[in-house]
């Protein structure tokens, strides 16, 4: 049937439709490769950011450890050789024991402990820990990098 | 001349199996793309590029069609996650193509369209463009179906499966559109 040819190209072909198909076929879709935009790879940026962050943390910890090791020279000078005059007995406090007045609490200072061998050991231990943490982070970063590298190559191959 | 209800039913049943295969493939491909397999989108492109090309050819100048096809697929790739039913990829991208054609005409209202005839080419090609112009002058429902059938070489069941239209609608559009085109061609030859 002629109608079937128009519907699903079966049955007796209609010469007029065949001629139209032949003429209009020149306008048919010509396959063109479809190129998807490349996926952005954020790994290098993340790695750089992580490295900078780690360097800042490591630097600040190192500075703190170093400043803890140094003996402030003025501590010795501050102590005057003259004996302090005896203080007069203070009147009993008006505030309760539980809520001392603010000015009193502000004056309480803990005496700074003198540098000792124990501090040096603590600093060394902290330094060791920091180095270990840095080593682990570096290894993890390189592991992640190794894992992502073959994927990139595979994707490039697919796209290319 | 027009198909009877019985004919439509038999035809629908006969092509039911054929039509049901494609959505399975497209569902798999859409899911694969959503899971990160970009190659699967290339297969979807191969499957649906003729459909999008045909829809655009029925509406916009031929010179613009190829670039618009690429744009539409790029847009579809970016917005694929918004597609709720993976089996409806065909109707979804067909709708994007129709909307893009409308946008094209809205934006290029003030620009002067270069007449295809000015470009100069062989007579066979100019005849094709003349007939395409006649098809474009037909009502919208008929022109898309006719272009997909006569230009892209798709069968009625394929058009129905990919556009999401019912087989009955496609069949009616094909027959009525063909009748009108024959009338127009007769008028053209009589001139």
């Amino acid at each position: 049937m002629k109608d079937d040819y128009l519907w699903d190209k079966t049955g007796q072909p209609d010469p007029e439709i065949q001629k139209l198909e032949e003429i209009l076929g020149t306008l048919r879709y010509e396959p063109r490769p479809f190129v998807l935009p490349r996926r952005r790879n954020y790994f290098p940026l993340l790695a750089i950011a992580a490295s900078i962050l780690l360097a800042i943390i490591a630097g600040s910890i190192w500075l703190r450890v170093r400043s803890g090791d140094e003996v402030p020279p003025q501590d010795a000078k501050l102590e005057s050789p003259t004996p302090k005059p005896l203080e007069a007995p203070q009147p009993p406090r008006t505030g309760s024991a539980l809520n001392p007045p603010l000015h009193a609490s502000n004056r309480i200072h803990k005496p700074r402990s003198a540098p000792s061998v124990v501090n040096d050991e603590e600093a060394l231990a902290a330094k060791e820990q920091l180095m270990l943490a840095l080593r682990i982070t570096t290894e993890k970063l390189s592991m992640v990098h190794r894992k992502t590298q073959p994927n990139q190559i595979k994707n490039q191959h697919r796209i290319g | 001349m027009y198909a009877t209800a019985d004919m439509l039913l038999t035809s629908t049943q006969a092509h039911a199996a054929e039509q049901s295969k494609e959505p399975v493939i497209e569902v798999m491909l859409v899911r694969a793309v959503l899971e990160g397999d970009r190659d699967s989108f290339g297969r979807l492109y191969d499957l649906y590029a003729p459909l999008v090309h045909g829809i655009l050819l029925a509406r916009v100048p031929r010179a613009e069609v190829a670039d618009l096809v690429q744009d539409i697929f790029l847009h579809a790739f970016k917005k694929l996650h918004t597609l709720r039913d993976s089996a409806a990829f065909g109707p979804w991208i067909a709708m994007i193509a129709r909307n893009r054609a409308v946008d094209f005409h809205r934006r290029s209202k003030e620009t002067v369209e270069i007449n295809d005839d000015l470009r100069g080419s062989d007579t066979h090609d100019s005849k094709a463009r003349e007939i395409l112009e006649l098809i474009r002058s037909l009502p919208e429902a008929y022109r898309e179906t006719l272009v997909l059938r006569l230009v892209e070489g798709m069968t009625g069941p394929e058009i129905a499966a990919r556009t999401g239209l019912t087989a009955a609608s496609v069949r009616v559009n094909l027959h009525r559109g063909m009748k009108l085109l024959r009338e127009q061609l007769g008028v053209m030859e009589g001139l």
Side-chain angles (χ1 to χ4, degrees):
Chain A
M1 245 182 103
K2 282 185 178 182
D3 284 350
D4 285 337
Y5 184 75
L6 179 63
W7 171 241
D8 58 5
K9 299 182 187 176
T10 59
Q12 191 190 343
D14 184 328
E16 199 178 7
I17 294 172
Q18 276 186 320
K19 198 180 173 191
L20 281 172
E21 281 179 318
E22 191 195 325
I23 295 168
L24 290 170
T26 54
L27 306 175
R28 190 170 292 177
Y29 167 72
E30 287 167 15
R32 276 175 62 176
F34 178 63
V35 183
L36 280 172
R38 280 194 173 194
R39 200 182 293 174
R40 276 196 172 184
N41 185 11
Y42 291 104
F43 179 78
L45 283 175
L46 281 174
I48 291 165
S51 307
I52 291 167
L53 193 69
L54 274 173
I56 290 167
I57 292 169
S60 63
I61 291 172
W62 183 69
L63 279 174
R64 273 187 82 176
V65 169
R66 236 190 122 184
S67 63
D69 287 349
E70 284 174 3
V71 182
Q74 56 273 48
D75 277 6
K77 287 174 188 172
L78 278 174
E79 286 176 12
S80 60
T82 51
K84 283 182 182 175
L86 286 171
E87 286 181 2
Q90 288 185 354
R93 288 179 181 177
T94 49
S96 66
L98 286 172
N99 297 316
L102 275 174
H103 59 87
S105 66
N106 285 343
R107 285 178 191 168
I108 298 166
H109 292 292
K110 278 191 175 178
R112 192 168 185 168
S113 58
S116 62
V117 182
V118 182
N119 267 358
D120 286 346
E121 282 173 3
E122 277 177 5
L124 276 171
K127 200 175 171 185
E128 285 289 316
Q129 279 184 346
L130 177 68
M131 292 308 288
L132 184 69
L134 277 171
R135 219 173 295 139
I136 291 167
T137 316
T138 313
E139 276 174 18
K140 291 222 170 191
L141 271 171
S142 58
M143 196 171 74
V144 171
H145 186 65
R146 254 181 276 125
K147 276 187 179 178
T148 53
Q149 202 65 23
N151 286 342
Q152 283 178 354
I153 291 163
K154 205 166 78 182
N155 287 340
Q156 281 169 4
H157 171 70
R158 281 176 185 172
I159 293 161
Chain B
M1 181 81 189
Y2 298 130
T4 62
D6 286 344
M7 276 170 62
L8 294 177
L9 277 173
T10 327
S11 168
T12 310
Q13 283 163 355
H15 296 289
E18 193 187 325
Q19 286 185 25
S20 64
K21 278 177 195 169
E22 196 150 293
V24 176
I25 298 167
E26 77 185 25
V27 166
M28 282 168 58
L29 291 173
V30 168
R31 282 182 190 161
V33 176
L34 290 174
E35 283 165 11
D37 181 8
R38 292 156 70 97
D39 288 348
S40 294
F41 195 79
R43 287 196 63 198
L44 277 172
Y45 172 78
D46 293 340
L47 273 173
Y48 284 94
L51 171 78
V52 173
H53 185 266
I55 289 170
L56 292 171
L57 199 62
R59 290 169 170 85
V60 300
R62 194 185 159 202
E64 307 290 340
V65 173
D67 288 343
L68 281 173
V69 170
Q70 297 275 322
D71 283 354
I72 287 163
F73 275 93
L74 197 61
H75 177 81
F77 178 73
K78 286 175 186 167
K79 298 282 174 187
L80 194 63
H81 64 278
T82 63
L83 176 63
R84 288 179 191 170
D85 180 10
S86 304
F89 180 81
W92 180 67
I93 202 156
M95 191 54 72
I96 294 173
R98 289 181 198 118
N99 290 340
R100 188 56 71 92
V102 171
D103 283 350
F104 174 85
H105 286 295
R106 202 179 293 153
R107 283 176 195 171
S108 58
K109 257 180 188 172
E110 290 172 13
T111 59
V112 180
E113 207 171 279
I114 298 169
N115 192 343
D116 282 345
D117 293 337
L118 295 175
R119 287 183 191 145
S121 58
D122 59 278
T123 47
H124 202 70
D125 202 35
S126 65
K127 184 85 179 162
R129 283 199 302 267
E130 274 176 35
I131 298 170
L132 184 66
E133 281 308 310
L134 282 181
I135 295 173
R136 279 179 179 166
S137 69
L138 299 178
E140 197 172 328
Y142 305 148
R143 71 174 102 133
E144 184 179 306
T145 322
L146 278 180
V147 168
L148 291 174
R149 172 66 185 84
L150 299 171
V151 179
E152 303 301 338
M154 292 163 75
T155 62
E158 280 173 345
I159 296 167
R162 292 189 188 180
T163 55
L165 293 168
T166 62
S169 309
V170 174
R171 192 165 192 138
V172 167
N173 289 343
L174 268 179
H175 284 95
R176 289 185 185 169
M178 197 63 216
K179 187 176 177 257
L180 284 174
L181 182 64
R182 277 190 172 118
E183 285 170 12
Q184 295 273 354
L185 283 168
V187 170
M188 196 176 84
E189 279 166 14
L191 287 173

